[in-house]
Amino acid sequence: MEFLQPVLDGFGVVLEPTNLLYCLLGVTIGMLIGVLPGLGPAATIAILLPLTYGVEPVTAIIMLAGIFYGAQYGGTITSVLLRLPGEASAVVTVFDGYQLAKQGKAGTALGIAAIGSFVGGTVAIIGLTFLAPLVAGFALDFGPPEYAALALLGILLVATISNGPKVKALIAAAVGLLLATVGRDAFTGAERFTFGNLSLADGIDFVPVAMGLFGVGEILYNLEERHRAVKAPTTVKNVWPSRQDLKTSAPAIGRGSVLGFFLGILPGGGATIASLAGYAVEKKVAKDPSRFGKGAVEGVAGPETANNAAATSSFIPLLTLGIPANATMAIIFGALLIQGVTPGPELITAHPDLFWGVVNSRYIGNLLLLIMAIPLIGVFVRILRVRAAILAPITALITLLGAYTIRNSMFDVLLVVVFGAVGYLKKKIGFEPGPLVLAFVLGALLESSLRRSLLVLDGNLLGMMGRPISATLVILFVAVAVFPLIKSFLDRRTQHAVVDEALRSGPRPGAASGTPSDTHTKENA
Amino acid sequence: MTFFTTRRTVLSVAAAAALLSVTACGGNVGGGVADAADFPSGPVNITVGQAPGGSTDLIARAVGEGMSDNLGQPVTVVNQPGANGAVATKEVAGKAADGHELVLLNASLITITPLAVSENEAVTLDDLDVIKGLSQDDYVLVASAKSGFENLEDIQATGNLTYGTTGVGTGSQLAQAVLFAEAGIDGTAVPFDSGSPALTAVMGDQVQVATVQLGEAKPQIDAGSVTPIMTFSAERNEFLPDTPTATESGYDIPVSQYRALAAPKGLPEEVKTRLAESADAALATDAYQSFNQDNLLTPHEISGEEVTEEWNSLRDRYAELVEEHDISLTGN
């Protein structure tokens, strides 16, 4: 157990009072910026970097990492309370989280999310400690064909998890894929749907789309509702999940942890697909899938656990290969340069205290978040008691401010307004924003990895079947796509048989005797 | 009581939001009509066309830090990503030339990107006054460990090469396309979104080689997970002294990422001198020099006029090279 020593030493480092204080500072700042959708952790960390010059490297990194996961929890808060998912991995949380909040159970949703995040993070840390060297190669084996297959599977899941009519979900997803093509073509430099506007050259950012469709669209819709009927203000019943809620969520938290751990290892898109898969799995195994989208606790527990576990296991590529999993990680470890520490594959051996200090601070940070969440949830849920006339403009303001901060651009603010109007109209005609937003996120991944695959595989897509991981994913894709068709076909056959039986035995006025009954069935069918 | 709690919560959220937004845009209140004599009359903004945390952003912050001390005014970095920096550059070029609005330029936007995008999106130095050249970030061609490539001859000996680039219209793409054309290597370019995924793809042997910036590749080179083949700088890079340059191997393809500080065209001469002076002071600080060292940046501290001349001639040279070898950066 010698290899555990640095891990334990890492805990010692985190538990020093100064480090604990900076960790607390980090998660608090993180939680606050998480509430503002546009200003992500990456930008905040870059801005706050000078604050860390004067302190020890470990302390600095602990605070910066705290901002990173504090922001994730802050994003959960706005997803549940205000229907504002700040990050792609929080989109599915909105489906049931916001419904729970509407039913006065915001505390349940936030509490389950906090517990799920804590458990998911813990499981992932244990996995990271023991399995990291074993699973590291996984990230490198994921080339363009594997990402293409994964994105394809993800888009299929989008259709599965939608709670409304399937056709509408597919249409919305198709629109999302189309929106993902806006911008300069990454392979030829050609302009696509930019109308000569340079602000569109990089495509549309996730934040204006999600904020507009979810947040502003909902505000507009609610204002109209209120005009029609005087609705009693939302009552806040319970502030903490009940024993029953915990019991229902426990398996979801378990599954989410494992799912999140493995998908999180993939740099780029891992956390989003993890949350999506977490939701899809819960819906699939539920006894009554119709509860989903109407406030199912597992619908919050599964994805929230998964995206947190994924965020933790995203340290693995960094630990073993020196690859930062996302922009925030890249900046955090770029910050190390200023402190004279070179990030890279040698980091773990050269600075074990630093590495494990950061990883374990994540654990302590999660614990702090959980402790802070208990009293704060009570405060947060009261936001819902604020009258809509006050809450709606404030929400709109936060949304617009958030959109502006992404790249200091008024154009993005305009985009929020446009997508808000679209979101409102979509809701009026019964489209949910979820499939569109998720397909939009995955569309970019699908397009670039598919085209990259074609280049790598010399234009022969069948080459995907020659690589074990992509072949497995493609087979899984076909199974998920075809299984419901076969199932409904079999169901129909059984029904046919029943109808047959009924026709055969029941009295058939006007039917000539001796006519084979299946002729009738065909005519009737 | 409940009402007050609620209100306080909401107010504090709003206050936090307001505070953060001010921090984010860096209190952009400077400007106004400045008399050259009393420059700077307010805070100076450096607009960066890349996201926070990238090397361009970090350079802007390092230079801004030193300039602020010299000018006695806050120097704030404003990130306005979009179209490889074209959005930010065009925006700043349209602002008042009073010295309070600066932009940090990447040479590739001026010298290489125009080869890949339509004419109305191409950015030139015509609307800008360059104040000071800062540094150069060298490109290095690396090969995956699995490919076994040790030098260019090994690559020439292979039949079917796929190579990663950091995107269309980048130095990474241009350098490799020209090199492989001159060396008679038949390869397929696979563009990635930036350096990090391209490097990861080489490590996993998804592509056999790629060209990325040295700062990114160095830790992997040191760890032995990728093999450096050559750099594209004019002289050997001090951080990679054993790796040959393309020039000494007989391929004259000088491609580096240069960075410079610029302002809108028409800056009063005194203001320009004052800015150059403060930039010089910033570059002379120990903090800035160790920043360069830590980020493997080679100082390339030339005057604004020299930058304009150098970049314009590089732009023409690249256009010739592309034409000579019948290369299309857009893949058409």
Side-chain angles (χ1 to χ4, degrees):
Chain A
M1 297 309 251
E2 209 171 281
F3 72 100
L4 276 182
Q5 199 51 48
V7 185
L8 295 175
D9 289 346
F11 270 113
V13 171
V14 180
L15 290 173
E16 281 166 27
T18 330
N19 292 342
L20 267 183
L21 187 72
Y22 273 88
C23 187
L24 183 68
L25 192 68
V27 292
T28 312
I29 296 173
M31 215 145 100
L32 282 174
I33 60 141
V35 172
L36 193 68
L39 187 65
T44 311
I45 290 171
I47 291 161
L48 293 181
L49 221 48
L51 286 185
T52 64
Y53 291 166
V55 296
E56 287 288 304
V58 187
T59 311
I61 300 304
I62 285 175
M63 185 182 99
L64 298 180
I67 294 174
F68 173 48
Y69 42 78
Q72 284 180 328
Y73 192 65
T76 306
I77 296 170
T78 49
S79 296
V80 169
L81 297 182
L82 303 173
R83 209 172 183 250
L84 292 178
E87 274 186 79
S89 61
V91 167
V92 287
T93 308
V94 175
F95 298 170
D96 285 281
Y98 185 66
Q99 289 301 327
L100 280 167
K102 265 183 146 176
Q103 295 160 17
K105 292 199 272 189
T108 309
L110 290 176
I112 285 290
I115 295 170
S117 299
F118 178 70
V119 176
T122 310
V123 169
I125 285 188
I126 296 170
L128 186 150
T129 312
F130 291 97
L131 299 178
L134 293 178
V135 292
F138 189 49
L140 286 184
D141 288 337
F142 250 73
E146 284 75 19
Y147 276 107
L150 189 68
L152 213 53
L153 190 62
I155 288 168
L156 188 68
L157 289 181
V158 170
T160 332
I161 61 166
S162 71
N163 298 305
K166 284 271 181 295
V167 178
K168 285 190 172 176
L170 286 173
I171 293 172
V175 175
L177 289 178
L178 192 65
L179 281 175
T181 63
V182 173
R184 191 176 280 172
D185 186 319
F187 291 75
T188 67
E191 299 293 313
R192 302 190 302 196
F193 308 114
T194 60
F195 308 100
N197 188 336
L198 265 189
S199 299
L200 279 174
D202 287 350
I204 303 170
D205 195 90
F206 162 78
V207 173
V209 178
M211 294 304 116
L213 290 180
F214 278 107
V216 178
E218 179 76 4
I219 294 170
L220 293 173
Y221 189 78
N222 282 347
L223 288 179
E224 184 189 83
E225 288 274 280
R226 254 162 239 280
H227 266 290
R228 271 207 227 114
V230 185
K231 214 171 78 187
T234 319
T235 49
V236 178
K237 275 181 250 157
N238 44 351
V239 157
W240 198 239
S242 68
R243 194 174 285 262
Q244 181 57 40
D245 291 329
L246 287 175
K247 222 179 127 191
T248 324
S249 311
I253 289 175
R255 284 186 287 265
S257 304
V258 177
L259 210 58
F261 175 74
F262 283 104
L263 287 170
I265 299 168
L266 306 174
T272 309
I273 295 176
S275 67
L276 222 146
Y279 192 86
V281 166
E282 289 321 309
K283 200 176 166 187
K284 204 101 237 169
V285 302
K287 283 203 192 81
D288 176 16
S290 66
R291 279 171 40 250
F292 280 77
K294 300 191 186 102
V297 193
E298 312 97 286
V300 175
E304 274 299 309
T305 309
N307 69 26
N308 224 280
T312 305
S313 66
S314 67
F315 276 93
I316 291 180
L318 189 75
L319 153 71
T320 47
L321 307 168
I323 307 170
N326 52 45
T328 314
M329 280 288 108
I331 295 179
I332 290 181
F333 281 83
L336 282 172
L337 277 175
I338 294 168
Q339 307 266 9
V341 177
T342 310
E346 249 103 76
L347 181 73
I348 172 80
T349 37
H351 304 275
D353 58 324
L354 192 112
F355 186 86
W356 289 107
V358 175
V359 171
N360 292 332
S361 84
R362 179 164 183 105
Y363 191 75
I364 303 291
N366 269 329
L367 194 63
L368 286 178
L369 276 176
L370 191 66
I371 294 168
M372 268 166 48
I374 296 169
L376 283 180
I377 283 173
V379 179
F380 285 136
V381 293
R382 292 212 179 105
I383 291 174
L384 293 178
R385 283 209 223 160
V386 179
R387 270 187 300 137
I390 299 166
L391 189 60
I394 290 177
T395 313
L397 185 72
I398 292 178
T399 312
L400 296 178
L401 262 175
Y404 182 76
T405 56
I406 318 166
R407 26 180 210 187
N408 295 312
S409 141
M410 276 311 284
F411 184 78
D412 288 332
V413 176
L414 196 73
L415 274 182
V416 175
V417 177
V418 171
F419 279 105
V422 174
Y424 163 73
L425 292 173
K426 274 170 70 85
K427 185 144 190 183
K428 290 258 323 177
I429 52 173
F431 281 96
E432 286 298 318
L436 193 161
V437 173
L438 289 167
F440 169 72
V441 173
L442 293 172
L445 182 66
L446 176 67
E447 193 210 335
S448 57
S449 33
L450 190 64
R451 291 175 69 182
R452 240 169 250 146
S453 308
L454 283 168
L455 291 170
V456 170
L457 298 172
D458 236 355
N460 177 13
L461 266 188
L462 281 177
M464 280 173 87
M465 301 309 285
R467 301 163 62 113
I469 299 176
S470 58
T472 312
L473 287 170
V474 169
I475 291 168
L476 198 61
F477 171 82
V478 173
V480 176
V482 171
F483 181 69
L485 292 178
I486 297 175
K487 192 162 172 279
S488 70
F489 179 69
L490 287 177
D491 283 356
R492 214 173 299 153
R493 291 255 316 220
T494 337
Q495 262 175 11
H496 269 260
V498 174
V499 174
D500 259 14
E501 199 56 36
L503 286 170
R504 205 173 281 137
S505 56
R508 277 170 285 139
S513 61
T515 314
S517 58
D518 54 349
T519 326
H520 277 267
T521 338
K522 257 179 211 152
E523 279 164 12
N524 293 349
Chain B
M1 180 58 217
T2 332
F3 173 71
F4 281 111
T5 322
T6 311
R7 195 164 150 170
R8 223 182 300 145
T9 318
V10 172
L11 283 177
S12 61
V13 169
L19 183 75
L20 280 161
S21 67
V22 169
T23 334
C25 48
N28 185 353
V29 289
V33 192
D35 202 337
D38 53 46
F39 175 83
S41 58
V44 174
N45 286 327
I46 302 180
T47 303
V48 173
Q50 277 71 26
S55 42
T56 314
D57 175 70
L58 292 177
I59 292 171
R61 288 175 200 275
V63 175
E65 190 90 5
M67 285 181 73
S68 167
D69 292 341
N70 180 273
L71 290 171
Q73 286 283 355
V75 175
T76 40
V77 171
V78 183
N79 300 90
Q80 207 172 28
N84 270 334
V87 172
T89 310
K90 291 197 168 184
E91 170 112 359
V92 172
K95 286 190 174 170
D98 59 9
H100 291 97
E101 294 291 345
L102 308 177
V103 60
L104 202 100
L105 292 176
N106 274 332
S108 61
L109 178 70
I110 312 290
T111 58
I112 303 169
T113 312
L115 298 172
V117 300
S118 62
E119 209 166 300
N120 62 333
E121 288 166 62
V123 180
T124 65
L125 290 178
D126 297 351
D127 304 327
L128 297 164
D129 268 342
V130 183
I131 294 162
K132 184 80 194 172
L134 300 172
S135 52
Q136 81 181 62
D137 200 347
D138 284 340
Y139 286 105
V140 55
L141 174 67
V142 294
S144 73
K146 211 176 155 190
S147 71
F149 297 155
E150 299 276 342
N151 49 47
L152 194 64
E153 286 72 48
D154 292 344
I155 303 179
Q156 278 171 312
T158 186
N160 193 7
L161 181 80
T162 48
Y163 62 94
T165 77
T166 61
V168 169
T170 60
S172 158
Q173 185 198 16
L174 177 83
Q176 290 180 106
V178 176
L179 173 70
F180 295 154
E182 291 192 357
I185 297 166
D186 188 21
T188 311
V190 183
F192 288 86
D193 296 330
S194 63
S196 171
L199 183 63
T200 309
V202 177
M203 290 164 64
D205 200 40
Q206 306 293 342
V207 291
Q208 289 126 53
V209 299
T211 291
V212 294
Q213 283 176 348
L214 180 64
E216 259 163 339
K218 189 69 172 20
Q220 300 297 346
I221 292 173
D222 291 345
S225 42
V226 298
T227 318
I229 305 289
M230 60 173 50
T231 61
F232 292 91
S233 47
E235 283 156 36
R236 285 204 180 195
N237 186 293
E238 60 167 311
F239 303 101
L240 215 55
D242 299 331
T243 305
T245 66
T247 311
E248 60 185 270
S249 312
Y251 305 97
D252 189 21
I253 315 164
V255 183
S256 291
Q257 182 64 293
Y258 300 102
R259 293 188 176 88
L261 196 61
K265 188 98 189 162
L267 213 54
E269 205 48 48
E270 305 90 281
V271 175
K272 194 173 171 186
T273 316
R274 181 75 188 86
L275 280 169
E277 203 180 279
S278 82
D280 284 337
L283 302 185
T285 59
D286 288 343
Y288 180 81
Q289 283 169 9
S290 60
F291 165 83
N292 268 346
Q293 194 75 21
D294 290 342
N295 285 280
L296 313 185
L297 298 168
T298 309
H300 188 60
E301 296 161 0
I302 54 177
S303 75
E305 288 73 25
E306 285 168 315
V307 170
T308 311
E309 204 186 298
E310 179 185 72
W311 292 14
N312 283 339
S313 74
L314 279 175
R315 184 193 58 197
D316 298 342
R317 168 111 181 87
Y318 295 153
E320 276 167 30
L321 276 173
V322 164
E323 190 150 337
E324 186 186 324
H325 298 290
D326 197 21
I327 295 166
S328 161
L329 295 191
T330 62
N332 294 320

